[in-house]
Each structure stands twice: as structure tokens, then as C-alpha cells.
Amino acid sequence: MSFRSVAIDGPAGAGKSTLARRLAGELGFLYVDTGAIYRTVALAVLRAGEDPSREDQVVPLLDGLDIRMGYGSDGVQRMYLSGEDVSAAIREHPISGAASQISAIPAVRDFLLDFQRKQAREHDVVMDGRDIGTVVLPGADVKIFLTAAPEARAKRRLLELEQRGQEADFDRVLQDIKERDWKDEHRDIAPLKQAEDAALLDTTGLNLEQSCDRLLSLVKEKIAL
Ligand code: DC
């Protein structure tokens, strides 16, 4: 039996996870947030007291890592590190930068490749990340490159942080986003870029409902539901 897949790539804060989760719900597919997997590796590296930018410190940890993914009764993806539910811990601020650093290490990407592909071998999936359409699932039925202007993404991120009761400053958030974009786009291996056969969806100036509608119609053009 062959399963269907939707690959959604794009920069941080473009709304990928919210939209991908909604889309997966509409289609009845499993939602796989691959950023969460990279974040879990980053957390393990920080907890081990190692430097996430140092390949020589990160690579020796990989073999001993016990990372699992599961789904709660609410259908939301959860990440486990050595059996501990770290779904909340991986969302804390220092993890974003560390995840970006470890994701530039080729051995980390190799290590996670099969973990991600396995999900698509076993389920219909909507998978989001940076290299899903280009590297992880080059044969995906639908590929979407989801983006928005950095300022629009920073505004959304600020709102998210405020809703969680965390203080944040617009300029700092914007700078973080730009730095992460630069790193993700310029790394040597699997950089963030639009696959040639991906449809571009720019959500600058669109609200969530409008973005969702556009996404769903792009997907329906390619996949018979
Ligand atoms: O989507 P996110 O912010 O949770 O991802 C965290 C980091 O992980 C991001 O800076 C880049 C990296 N990442 C990646 O390199 N490839 C993926 N498929 C997903 C995430």
C-alpha cells in the first residue's frame, strides 16, 4: 500500500506548523513536525553540556540518543527524550538557536533522515521542515514552499510569545528570525530552498483563515481527496 505525502518547507515563523497541522486535520493525514525532532537533538546536546556548534562534541552523542515521537489523545505530536516528554522544553528560547546549529552538521541530518522517512512509509503525512521537498521526501505528492516577509513573521512570533506570557522585543525577535534564515539558507548541507516543483505560498498580509484556504486549494489541485 502506498501512502500519500504533502511536504511543506519554509523559513521560521511562516506559519508552517499551524497551517500544516490544520491541513493534516482536513485531509486526515498524520502531521509530522520535523523541526521538533531537530529541537529534541539540540536539547539532548545542551543537557549533555556540549556545544551545539561543535561537530566533534555533537556527533559522539548521536548513537546513544533515545528519541521517540508519539501522538497525544488530542492528536498533537509529542517528543520523548530517553522516555521523558520534552514537548514543552524544546520550545524554550535557547533551543531554537541550538537546533539551527546542530542542523548544519551533516551527521545529524543523516541520523534523522530515516527517522523522518519512516513516518511517510507508514502513514499518509503532512510533513513540515526545511528540506522535506528537496531531500527527505523528494517524491512527495504535493510540495509547498511557505513563506512571509520577515517583519510579518516577527509580528506573529511576538504575538505568540506575548500570549504565552513571555516578554519580547520586536527588534530582537526580527533579528533572531533574520539570523536563523541566513543560517538555514546558507548551510552547506540541505539548505532551506524552494524545490523546483514546489508551489509558492506567501502569507504576508493573509490571516490564518485565508492562508488555510489558499493552502487547501493548492493541495486539492494535486491530490484527489
Ligand atoms: O521549524 P523549527 O523552528 O522548529 O526548526 C528548528 C531548527 O531545525 C531550524 O532552525 C532548522 C532546523 N530544521 C532543519 O534543518 N530541517 C528540518 N527539516 C526542520 C528543522
Side-chain angles (χ1 to χ4, degrees), residues 70-129:
Y71 289 85
S73 51
D74 50 3
V76 174
Q77 177 180 326
R78 309 207 71 83
M79 295 304 305
Y80 299 90
L81 177 61
S82 303
E84 176 193 343
D85 185 343
V86 293
S87 313
I90 59 171
R91 298 294 156 198
E92 282 167 18
H93 182 70
I95 304 296
S96 304
S100 185
Q101 287 174 319
I102 59 105
S103 72
I105 299 173
V108 170
R109 305 203 72 85
D110 268 359
F111 175 78
L112 295 183
L113 194 58
D114 200 54
F115 190 92
Q116 297 169 81
R117 284 186 176 156
K118 187 166 180 283
Q119 306 303 322
R121 279 199 299 272
E122 297 175 352
H123 312 272
D124 288 322
V125 291
V126 174
M127 193 177 282
D128 80 6

Side-chain angles (χ1 to χ4, degrees), residues 8-13 16-17 31 33-39 42 90-91 95-104 109 112 116 127-132 136 180-181 183-184 187 189-192:
I8 303 184
D9 292 301
K16 289 192 304 289
S17 30
Y31 167 52
D33 168 3
T34 64
I37 308 172
Y38 283 90
R39 285 170 178 272
I90 59 171
R91 298 294 156 198
I95 304 296
S96 304
S100 185
Q101 287 174 319
I102 59 105
S103 72
R109 305 203 72 85
L112 295 183
Q116 297 169 81
M127 193 177 282
D128 80 6
R130 303 292 189 286
D131 61 341
I132 309 305
V136 180
R180 211 134 72 86
D181 284 357
K183 276 198 223 145
D184 292 345
R187 66 180 174 224
I189 178 162
L192 169 66

